[in-house]
Amino acid sequence: MKNIKYVVLMSGLILLLLFPLWQGEHADSRQGALDSGENPSTPINLYVDSSANAQHQDGSQQHPYATIQAARDDLRKRSKPLPSGGATVWVKEGNYNVTATLEWTAADSGTVQAPITYRTYAGKVATLSNGTAVNPSDWKPLSAEARERVNPAIQPGQLMELDVKKLGFQNIQGFTGGDYFTEKWGILQLIASDAMQPVSQWPNKDDASAGNRAGWAVASGIVNENSFYYDDKQNKDTSNLGRMARWQRAIQTGHGVYLQGFWRTVWSPATIRLNEIQPSSRSIHLSQTPAGGIGSKFSAVANKATADNHYRIGDGSEEWRLLNLLEEIDQPGEWAMDFKDGKIYYYPPKPIKEMNTVIADRTDPIIRINGASHLRFIGFELKNGLGNAINVQNSNHITLAGLTIHNMGNGGITDSGGSQNMIQSNNIYDTGSFGISVNKAGSRAKLTAANTRITNNHIYNTGILIHLEPLIIRESVGLRIDHNLLHDVPKDAIRYTFSNKLLFEYNEVHNTGLVEGDTGAFYTAQDWSSYGNVLRYNMIHHNQRSNGFYADGGSSGNTYQNNIIQNTKRAFIVENGHHNVAIGNLLIETESMEINDRSDSLNYGLNSEYAKLLRGFHPMSGPWKTYGEKLAKQYGMKGNLWSSVLSASWNPQYPNGSKLNNNVMVGGATIKIPKKGDVAAQGNVILNTLNEAGFYNYNNLDLRTQNKAILSKFPSLNKVITEIGLYKDQYRVQPVARNQYNGLSNHSAPDSHS
């Protein structure tokens, strides 16, 4: 095991002020680990085996329970508190079909002296599946009506249909968001051979034949605010009935046809049902108007026919694609849910009888922990649900470790209102939405730290259906997020908003923004009160389609220290806000680092939502008053920081206090700062070539060096670079090597815009 000890670099008073909370329960990054051996080490041990004899079950090794629920109920009935050392429920390898949420409440809690652990045996897999297996005989050849709709590129006999209405599945009548949605989906999911199958789309994901971004078409002009022209060059179809005519026939016969598009912005694409298609005029008409109307927000010329400029003339950047239609199934693995027919249509990559097909239709989580404490869940595989894998609510001292979560229609793990929780060494991938989401941990009103830790998790290929981030932190205080590996995601990797005193360190991030634009590997926005978030010793690499660290929309008080940003658009981008400081970072082959002033076009003043949010914390009294006084000393100001921020004479509409100082830029980069505001960019070093940097092995991202200019700004680089990313522990035997994941994906994204 690589023995990694954390070294806290106290760079001035700022770190002394912001990190006392980390000297408590989670100060040692490797302590508190559970023994992964199979020898019982607790006074109470119960056993679970899915193949247990139904007639003889008492939870002993000889007569194990058949379900985890039975073991939970056994412990629930026992006198509390349990003996010192607590209890362990040992779950034998096998498949455990979860037809109703496994729930733990306050009645199931352990204590500090007697925690309760549910775990698998070391090296064995116990699977909690929320899906419904499909009998191969239920798959049928296409009906005559469906055969008429098949894409001319394939033969009807290559497709199969499944009557999910007849089989009693529930989420088959339409998208949760109806005819217009962004962050909703909600229809059942098809899983085959243990992999989520791709919903049909046009253009295909790898199709860039029209010269556009692979997988996307573009509007060739705007008809009005909810209609646009399509380009005949993109409508390559050798059938007698052209593509758009086939779509129109589907609409006329009652089959929903949906387009997802970046109708106005390069982020948050909206999916909208079509009203009609007119092949004669090459026009497509949506059933509802996208917010702001169709037409890129960044197009140069406003539509003069519309006095209030609700929409703009299209400039070819309005990307769109069709999703979930039988007519566009033309690649093995693709499928579509037809709401009218109540059937799934599927192009199996091999004979259906040779495949295990599963329907994910249950929206409740596989596990719910509500109001409980001192519980540990170790080593399980959770999969095949339409909702989340695990929901933790108002619970504390919960450990979720060594889990594998995949094939989930929504997300992986949520933690709402919790504290002192540990989310460690989990693998989360192939989710329809997010990976891990933490909300309202700690108290912003009281500035009380949650002391929750998220460490050593590998999260990738998330946001398949709805583009949420693999890691989301909202309205929280005092979390440590470290040593996680996040990659291959459609937008930001880490989004943290409306939070204080978060510590992000030793995380590795690459290949973000693969679908959306205007993203950041680390992204935050819209809060003057978000002081105390520190991001240090993180590495962003192979990230050409996204920014690095992005403090958008007035976000304030972010400290970026000793990070590594490689092969990224803008390494740092700060949009107004206050006291966002980037110091001692290493930038390699990046385009720029920027502080921007947008106060001439957007409201960043005392009447803004940012000022209202800060005032809502009553910052001149209680814990916020004390915090403001500490922050004023930290930034060399007199009195209370909030007195300045909320004063017109301080000009808070400008990005005051933001600095880009003492960074090293290898391969060149531009530095942009505004003319207005108390901002600075000083002491930065530029090395024009990689050779000057003298990295040990740049191709494998071994960035150790003896270059004095680099080490003068980033003295601990040679140690830090060896510690970033995943580490070995009792749950993760073999971390992913960095050079295994340093290649670019075959996806691309629209350009970012500020």
Side-chain angles (χ1 to χ4, degrees):
M1 177 184 295
K2 179 172 65 176
N3 184 19
I4 300 174
K5 296 180 180 179
Y6 291 95
V7 178
V8 179
L9 298 180
M10 293 297 183
S11 177
L13 184 58
I14 175 173
L15 299 183
L16 289 170
L17 292 173
L18 296 179
F19 298 144
L21 65 104
W22 303 117
Q23 299 173 7
E25 178 180 352
H26 300 318
D28 187 334
S29 66
R30 303 298 150 80
Q31 291 182 352
L34 295 176
D35 182 1
S36 63
E38 297 183 11
N39 295 321
S41 58
T42 50
I44 299 174
N45 293 277
L46 298 176
Y47 299 86
V48 176
D49 184 345
S50 60
S51 61
N53 188 322
Q55 302 301 317
H56 301 90
Q57 297 184 13
D58 59 13
S60 65
Q61 281 185 297
Q62 295 75 22
H63 303 291
Y65 290 121
T67 67
I68 297 172
Q69 298 96 311
R72 176 203 61 193
D73 294 344
D74 181 323
L75 292 173
R76 183 180 287 177
K77 294 174 184 177
R78 297 183 183 232
S79 298
K80 302 292 179 64
L82 298 177
S84 180
T88 300
V89 175
W90 298 86
V91 181
K92 188 176 181 180
E93 65 180 310
N95 296 313
Y96 296 81
N97 193 31
V98 180
T99 58
T101 296
L102 302 175
E103 186 156 6
W104 283 262
T105 66
D108 304 303
S109 296
T111 64
V112 174
Q113 293 77 22
I116 298 174
T117 300
Y118 294 80
R119 62 162 305 150
T120 61
Y121 289 89
K124 305 297 181 180
V125 179
T127 299
L128 308 181
S129 175
N130 208 12
T132 301
V134 178
N135 190 323
S137 64
D138 287 329
W139 288 99
K140 307 294 183 184
L142 295 190
S143 66
E145 180 184 356
R147 291 175 68 88
E148 292 296 320
R149 298 172 54 198
V150 170
N151 192 297
I154 62 173
Q155 297 298 317
Q158 294 176 277
L159 303 189
M160 304 291 289
E161 66 177 43
L162 183 69
D163 193 332
V164 289
K165 182 178 181 180
K166 180 180 178 181
L167 292 173
F169 291 103
Q170 300 299 306
N171 296 284
I172 63 174
Q173 297 179 350
F175 293 108
T176 304
D179 290 346
Y180 183 143
F181 61 93
T182 53
E183 295 182 356
K184 295 184 179 180
W185 190 264
I187 63 174
L188 54 69
Q189 289 300 299
L190 174 62
I191 298 156
S193 299
D194 206 28
M196 290 180 68
Q197 299 299 281
V199 172
S200 68
Q201 73 169 67
W202 181 87
N204 290 319
K205 289 185 177 181
D206 58 353
D207 183 4
S209 60
N212 307 319
R213 179 163 66 120
W216 294 87
V218 296
S220 61
I222 306 303
V223 178
N224 54 41
E225 59 189 7
N226 66 348
S227 305
F228 65 95
Y229 295 109
Y230 61 85
D231 190 343
D232 275 334
K233 294 180 181 179
Q234 300 177 47
N235 187 22
K236 294 182 178 180
D237 193 330
T238 59
S239 66
N240 292 329
L241 188 61
R243 170 165 281 112
M244 297 304 170
R246 289 189 290 111
W247 292 5
Q248 177 63 2
R249 186 175 69 171
I251 294 171
Q252 291 171 341
T253 53
H255 302 281
V257 179
Y258 293 81
L259 298 187
Q260 183 182 72
F262 294 98
W263 309 114
R264 187 170 181 270
T265 65
V266 295
W267 62 87
S268 298
T271 302
I272 306 176
R273 184 179 59 81
L274 298 193
N275 188 47
E276 69 170 337
I277 299 172
Q278 295 179 351
S280 60
S281 62
R282 299 183 298 105
S283 61
I284 293 176
H285 305 262
L286 304 179
S287 64
Q288 296 191 40
T289 302
I294 297 177
S296 172
K297 174 182 178 181
F298 306 104
S299 61
V301 183
N303 191 324
K304 297 179 181 179
T306 307
D308 53 7
N309 289 336
H310 276 177
Y311 65 98
R312 296 169 179 264
I313 294 174
D315 60 3
S317 64
E318 299 84 13
E319 294 183 311
W320 59 274
R321 61 184 178 182
L322 175 138
L323 297 175
N324 190 51
L325 189 66
L326 166 59
E327 282 80 353
E328 291 304 335
I329 298 176
D330 63 352
Q331 293 190 334
E334 283 192 320
W335 69 283
M337 175 68 232
D338 193 294
F339 306 138
K340 178 192 176 189
D341 296 347
K343 294 179 180 180
I344 282 177
Y345 298 110
Y346 179 43
Y347 186 171
K350 60 183 179 180
I352 202 76
K353 63 182 180 181
E354 299 177 11
M355 305 180 67
N356 294 319
T357 54
V358 174
I359 299 296
D361 189 46
R362 298 187 180 98
T363 57
D364 289 338
I366 297 175
I367 289 176
R368 179 184 292 114
I369 305 168
N370 190 358
S373 61
H374 299 285
L375 296 175
R376 302 172 180 177
F377 296 84
I378 311 296
F380 295 96
E381 177 188 38
L382 297 93
K383 65 181 184 180
N384 300 348
L386 190 56
N388 301 329
I390 302 175
N391 284 4
V392 181
Q393 300 165 256
N394 302 317
S395 299
N396 61 78
H397 296 279
I398 305 297
T399 294
L400 305 173
L403 306 174
T404 296
I405 296 172
H406 63 123
N407 296 346
M408 298 301 301
N410 200 45
I413 297 170
T414 67
D415 181 357
S416 179
S419 64
Q420 307 288 341
N421 295 330
M422 176 73 81
I423 303 175
Q424 180 175 356
S425 302
N426 304 293
N427 296 323
I428 303 174
Y429 60 96
D430 290 355
T431 66
S433 183
F434 61 90
I436 297 172
S437 177
V438 178
N439 185 37
K440 295 185 177 179
S443 169
R444 289 203 80 196
K446 299 178 181 179
L447 289 172
T448 304
N451 287 325
T452 283
R453 185 171 178 211
I454 303 170
T455 183
N456 206 30
N457 300 285
H458 186 188
I459 311 176
Y460 60 100
N461 201 34
T462 57
I464 294 172
L465 304 173
I466 298 299
H467 304 158
L468 294 187
E469 295 80 1
L471 183 53
I472 304 169
I473 312 292
R474 297 189 185 99
E475 297 183 69
S476 296
V477 180
L479 278 73
R480 183 179 185 178
I481 303 96
D482 66 292
H483 287 281
N484 301 289
L485 171 59
L486 306 105
H487 61 92
D488 290 281
V489 294
K491 58 187 307 181
D492 319 305
I494 296 177
R495 184 183 184 96
Y496 62 102
T497 54
F498 309 113
S499 297
N500 300 90
K501 301 181 182 180
L502 306 180
L503 175 61
F504 297 92
E505 62 179 358
Y506 297 102
N507 298 289
E508 180 181 355
V509 176
H510 62 89
N511 287 12
T512 70
L514 298 184
V515 179
E516 298 194 17
D518 200 28
T519 61
F522 291 76
Y523 179 90
T524 185
Q526 300 177 334
D527 191 357
W528 280 5
S529 63
S530 59
Y531 276 76
N533 298 319
V534 174
L535 303 92
R536 61 180 186 177
Y537 316 144
N538 302 288
M539 182 175 185
I540 302 168
H541 63 91
H542 293 90
N543 200 57
Q544 291 178 339
R545 302 177 184 98
S546 175
N547 298 301
F549 295 94
Y550 194 167
D552 197 6
S555 178
S556 300
N558 296 283
T559 298
Y560 307 103
Q561 185 171 17
N562 293 146
N563 299 284
I564 301 164
I565 309 99
Q566 180 264 357
N567 200 221
T568 293
K569 282 178 174 284
R570 292 174 288 189
F572 296 96
I573 176 169
V574 174
E575 302 282 13
N576 293 79
H578 314 123
H579 297 108
N580 295 301
V581 178
I583 182 170
N585 301 283
L586 174 60
L587 286 60
I588 309 168
E589 296 188 303
T590 65
E591 293 182 8
S592 66
M593 56 179 180
E594 304 178 7
I595 300 171
N596 296 326
D597 169 29
R598 305 176 70 192
S599 59
D600 58 341
S601 58
L602 297 173
N603 181 8
Y604 286 100
L606 291 176
N607 294 322
S608 67
E609 293 299 317
Y610 321 116
K612 293 177 183 177
L613 177 62
L614 176 57
R615 292 189 191 103
F617 288 112
H618 307 290
M620 300 313 297
S621 63
W624 277 86
K625 178 177 182 291
T626 303
Y627 192 42
E629 291 168 350
K630 290 182 178 180
L631 289 171
K633 291 180 181 179
Q634 174 183 315
Y635 294 118
M637 302 166 67
K638 295 182 178 180
N640 190 311
L641 174 66
W642 314 128
S643 298
S644 296
V645 172
L646 295 174
S647 169
S649 62
W650 195 68
N651 292 313
Q653 68 272 26
Y654 302 139
N656 290 328
S658 292
K659 303 181 188 302
L660 305 172
N661 290 349
N662 296 309
N663 303 287
V664 179
M665 295 171 285
V666 178
T670 59
I671 302 172
K672 177 182 176 182
I673 61 173
K675 296 180 179 180
K676 297 179 180 179
D678 175 20
V679 298
Q682 300 173 349
N684 298 295
V685 173
I686 297 178
L687 303 179
N688 291 318
T689 67
L690 289 170
N691 287 337
E692 290 181 70
F695 297 125
Y696 284 15
N697 189 334
Y698 183 66
N699 289 335
N700 286 338
L701 290 180
D702 182 350
L703 303 179
R704 291 175 294 171
T705 181
Q706 298 304 316
N707 184 285
K708 293 181 180 179
I710 294 176
L711 296 179
S712 69
K713 305 298 184 182
F714 195 157
S716 60
L717 172 65
N718 290 344
K719 185 174 187 297
V720 167
I721 192 64
T722 65
E723 299 184 354
I724 291 171
L726 302 176
Y727 57 83
K728 291 182 181 180
D729 62 8
Q730 59 272 43
Y731 313 116
R732 185 177 299 288
V733 177
Q734 185 61 50
V736 177
R738 183 170 300 131
N739 61 359
Q740 289 181 251
Y741 283 89
N742 65 5
L744 286 171
S745 290
N746 292 322
H747 304 287
S748 58
D751 289 336
S752 296
H753 295 270
S754 60

